Structures are given as structure tokens and as C-alpha cells.
Amino acid sequence: MSTWELLAELPLQIEAYTLEPRQAVVSSDFERKSTVIRLTGAGSEGLGEDVTYDAVDQEILQQAGPTLPLAGSFTIESFAERLAELALFPAPPQREVSERYRRWAYESAALDLALGQAGTTLHELLGREPRPVRFVVSLRLGEPPSMEPVSSRLERYPTLRFKLDPTSSWDENLIAELVATGAVDSVDFKGLYVGSVVDQPADPLLYARVAEAFPHAWIEDPALTEETDAVLAAHRERFSWDASIHSIEDIEALPYPPRMVNIKPSRLGGLRNLLDAYDYCAERGIGNYGGGQFELGVGRSQNQYLASLFHGDAPNDVAPTGFNVPDPPPGLPSSPLAPAPPASGFH
């Protein structure tokens, strides 16, 4: 039986829902907006988080309010089918992938509600034991780049590990300082993004410097041109893929058979897609780690919970939210996060 089949028939009763705005200035120097979806029914509630990146899409949703016809009796599977029939955006989204993010918000809220109504948890339903979650803190180092975002965090939290976004402005001195920390677990070249604030064009010199300087780090999303593919040829076993992974078909279409892929639940767009991808990777010995998307609410704890069930011992980009603000407060938990399974529900 597939992992999806273990929860597809879980009953669900929805009476109403509300939308709750979230916003914060985060470490990538932008104001993050998200929306928490709160479903209620049969004396329980379920939460999910819409992590659509474009603020205007969040604002339109919040202004429109809870207008979708979601009340009724469902299973998890039939609720997913209902969502597929609805226009989840009051106005067309700024980018196509946002449809997946919003669908995940509603489906994760539905799962949370259904588990609460059944008085059970996801790990109990799937027969999995929650594990400690190893995490990294994902950072950009600014323009011009500086060691400060790394050094200030290490001063307060000396055991932190990092996932960093190299840019063409990184010079040899900065790279040497980063190497000296011994704290870099992965580097994200952001080579598959187009038209975003984090675009980084293919840069053979940067790729060569970084790949050689961090010989044990995962190399995420390189832009493979004839020139960059050549300089990274010796490092293909360390490739990991993120931005292009929306489905099993995307994993199959990768230029080289992967050893690791970044599975972001919201980017997969639905519970069945996510769980089928986990099964696919497990059957083929492909490693996973979880990816965060600057969640401001329940989305981050749900990602951590999934990591504890499917890939706890990996460089999960699911650090506690406090690490993503410009000045992380004291008292944040260290890695690995101890298992914290819920009494019921999905967060």
C-alpha cells in the first residue's frame, strides 16, 4: 500500500474557514506576507499556510475573504478533488507555481483538521516514528557580500550549520573565511530561477571556486551550460535539485540521476503528489531534505514534522523561523530538533 493510500480515506467534516494574515521582514531584505488557513468542523480546527511569494496575491486573497464553498463531508481524497474544481485565486496569480502553494495550504489544513477529528496524528496513521531533525540556516550574504550574517549567528549559536547562496561577487577571501567556519553543509547556486530577486546567472569561475572550496557540501541548482557542466563534472555526485522539482516527472527529467533532491511540500502542490514523491525516492535510494519558504505560521512546524518522519538526518532547510530574521533572538533551539509530535493533528 502506498503512503497516500494510508490516509486517502480519512474522513473530514468542514463547517467554515477563516483567513489570518501574517507578515514579517526576513533576512533576504523583503517583507514576507503569508496567509494562515483555519478550517473548523466538529469541534476541531485545522491549520495550513499559504506561502505564495507575491504580496499582491496574499493581499487579494485576504481582502476577498473566505469565499470558497468548502463546507461539507469529505475524505482527504475527495476534498483534494473538490479543490481541483475550484478557482483558489480571486484573481489570476502573478506566477503559475503559486497555484501549487495555495493548494498545499488548503490540503495541509484539511489533513490537520481530519487528524484532529479522528484523534490521531500523521505518524500514527502512517506507522512512522518521529526522528530528530537536523537543520541548516539558509542565508544570502548581501551585496556587497559580508561574513556578518554568518559570523553574528555563529557568535550566538556556535553549532549552527548553513545553506548559503553564492553570488558572483563572492571573492576568494570571503570564500576562505567561510571555509574556516567549517559550518557550510550546502550551497545553492539559484541557477534555475528566472525573473526573481535571487537570480544568479551561470558563472563558471564562481562554480569552480565554490565546488572546490567546499568539497563535502551539497551543490543545489547549478545552471548547467557547456562551460559550467565541464567545471562541475567531478562534483556531479553532490548535485541536489530544488526549484525544478514539482513532481516525480521532474525528478525523472533531471540531467543526471540524482542522489538528493529538495522536496518542498508546498511546491509539490498537494498531499498525494508529496507522498508519492517520497515513495518514489525511497524505492530508488534517492535522498531527500526539506525546504523552507519563509513560512511565518504553522507551515514551518508542518515542514519540520514531515522532515522528522521522512528525512530527519539530512541538511533540512527548516530552521526555526527566528533564524530567518535579521537579528535572531537568543534562546532558539539547536540542531537537531528533538521530536515534538503533536497529541493529534498535523503540526
Side-chain angles (χ1 to χ4, degrees):
M1 179 177 288
S2 71
T3 303
W4 163 250
E5 289 171 328
L6 293 173
L7 61 79
E9 296 306 311
L10 187 67
L12 169 68
Q13 181 70 38
I14 298 175
E15 295 167 5
Y17 77 101
T18 58
L19 306 174
E20 300 176 6
R22 296 282 190 275
Q23 65 184 63
V25 175
V26 296
S27 59
S28 290
D29 297 325
F30 74 99
E31 185 178 48
R32 179 62 159 126
K33 294 188 176 183
S34 72
T35 304
V36 171
I37 312 293
R38 185 182 298 270
L39 302 178
T40 56
S44 297
E45 66 177 23
L47 304 179
E49 185 174 3
D50 178 4
V51 295
T52 298
Y53 276 104
D54 297 279
V56 64
D57 288 331
Q58 298 287 359
E59 292 161 359
I60 291 171
L61 172 67
Q62 293 162 12
Q63 290 165 8
T67 60
L68 296 176
L70 300 183
S73 297
F74 305 93
T75 64
I76 290 295
E77 183 170 36
S78 68
F79 180 74
E81 292 168 350
R82 166 67 65 85
L83 287 178
E85 299 170 350
L86 301 176
L88 303 183
F89 283 76
Q94 300 297 300
R95 62 196 77 207
E96 184 179 353
V97 71
S98 298
E99 294 275 1
R100 293 176 177 270
Y101 299 160
R102 188 155 294 173
R103 182 182 180 92
W104 171 255
Y106 284 103
E107 287 199 27
S108 57
L111 178 60
D112 191 26
L113 178 58
L115 290 167
Q117 290 172 344
T120 190
T121 62
L122 185 61
H123 65 275
E124 291 168 335
L125 191 65
L126 301 185
R128 289 177 173 265
E129 185 70 25
R131 305 288 185 184
V133 175
R134 183 158 63 94
F135 68 80
V136 295
V137 175
S138 182
L139 289 177
R140 297 178 71 79
L141 302 185
E143 292 297 338
S146 163
M147 274 293 294
E148 195 279 334
V150 170
S151 58
S152 63
R153 285 167 172 79
L154 285 176
E155 184 176 352
R156 185 168 286 175
Y157 298 99
T159 63
L160 273 187
R161 311 294 298 178
F162 294 92
K163 174 184 176 182
L164 301 180
D165 296 356
T167 62
S168 296
S169 54
W170 281 24
D171 60 24
E172 292 181 346
N173 289 335
L174 176 67
I175 291 172
E177 288 184 84
L178 291 169
V179 169
T181 69
V184 179
D185 281 350
S186 53
V187 291
D188 183 357
F189 284 127
K190 291 284 194 281
L192 304 185
Y193 288 91
V194 178
S196 77
V197 296
V198 297
D199 287 12
Q200 167 57 47
D203 184 337
L205 177 59
L206 174 70
Y207 285 15
R209 282 177 171 174
V210 170
E212 292 166 8
F214 302 98
H216 304 296
W218 290 104
I219 299 169
E220 187 174 280
D221 283 358
L224 296 181
T225 64
E226 183 176 350
E227 198 170 6
T228 60
D229 198 14
V231 301
L232 290 176
H235 308 283
R236 288 173 187 160
E237 286 293 297
R238 294 193 282 133
F239 285 179
S240 177
W241 305 95
D242 172 23
S244 62
I245 306 301
H246 303 87
S247 64
I248 290 171
E249 291 73 23
D250 290 335
I251 299 173
E252 293 174 334
L254 291 171
Y256 302 105
R259 288 184 57 223
M260 182 72 79
V261 289
N262 185 344
I263 297 289
K264 290 183 174 174
S266 56
R267 187 171 281 152
L268 272 288
L271 285 162
R272 182 167 193 168
N273 289 350
L274 173 68
L275 298 176
D276 285 352
Y278 281 147
D279 285 352
Y280 175 89
C281 290
E283 290 164 3
R284 290 158 179 79
I286 300 170
N288 304 146
Y289 54 86
Q293 293 182 287
F294 290 114
E295 299 89 358
L296 303 179
V298 69
R300 181 55 58 108
S301 67
Q302 289 173 340
N303 282 353
Q304 291 166 345
Y305 187 19
L306 287 166
S308 78
L309 299 184
F310 291 95
H311 41 75
D313 191 23
N316 293 290
D317 182 8
V318 296
T321 304
F323 285 113
N324 290 332
V325 301
D327 183 23
L332 295 173
S334 59
S335 179
L337 295 172
S344 65
F346 178 45
H347 71 278

